[in-house]
Amino acid sequence: MLFIDGGSRKQRELGYAAASFAWSQLMPRIKKCIVNIELKALKGYDGTCLDFDNREYVIEINKKLSLGDNFLTTIFHEMVHVKQYVRKELYSECNFYKTRDEYLNLPWEVEAYRVQEELLEKWHNNLKTINNQN
């Protein structure tokens, strides 16, 4: 189940569509999972994913992001973390880094940054296909 709250109507619609798309690409067989996306003002970062409870996750996205690729890749990035939590590839207590470079080189961050770009490309290709059919 996917829920989205906060931000503008356009942000919620695009955010829901992007998160649903990411879910279909990353975890198509996962049914028992709840993702709550909160669009709100964040200071110093674009988004985060928190392991809230047993297969329940909270994603926070900075509502100040423009409705373009940065907004989309942030949602895709955080959905990769949901997938990692579900598959036990990432644990909440894995915050053992001292610098930004150490953080960016963590295996789950390397994967999230790589996959966010792959999902963005698939998203745009999917939109082109839909537009060409109309």
Side-chain angles (χ1 to χ4, degrees), residues 47-51 57-60 77-79 81-82 85 90 92:
T48 189
C49 177
L50 306 167
D51 182 3
Y57 308 94
V58 175
I59 292 175
E60 294 178 343
H77 183 100
E78 301 310 333
M79 288 298 293
H81 289 320
V82 170
Y85 278 126
L90 171 63
S92 295

Side-chain angles (χ1 to χ4, degrees), residues 46-90:
D46 293 341
T48 189
C49 177
L50 306 167
D51 182 3
F52 182 72
D53 201 2
N54 186 29
R55 286 223 173 170
E56 185 171 348
Y57 308 94
V58 175
I59 292 175
E60 294 178 343
I61 302 293
N62 192 340
K63 71 178 185 177
K64 302 292 185 187
L65 294 173
S66 63
L67 287 179
D69 288 354
N70 196 22
F71 183 80
L72 291 168
T73 55
T74 301
I75 289 177
F76 295 154
H77 183 100
E78 301 310 333
M79 288 298 293
V80 172
H81 289 320
V82 170
K83 185 267 309 176
Q84 292 167 337
Y85 278 126
V86 167
R87 293 188 179 163
K88 308 280 190 245
E89 300 165 345
L90 171 63

Side-chain angles (χ1 to χ4, degrees), residues 20-53:
S20 296
F21 177 79
W23 192 321
S24 74
Q25 298 295 308
L26 298 169
M27 312 174 286
R29 295 186 301 234
I30 301 296
K31 303 296 182 219
K32 293 183 180 180
C33 182
I34 298 170
V35 178
N36 295 294
I37 300 174
E38 299 173 2
L39 302 168
K40 57 199 226 176
L42 301 174
K43 291 189 180 195
Y45 58 99
D46 293 341
T48 189
C49 177
L50 306 167
D51 182 3
F52 182 72
D53 201 2

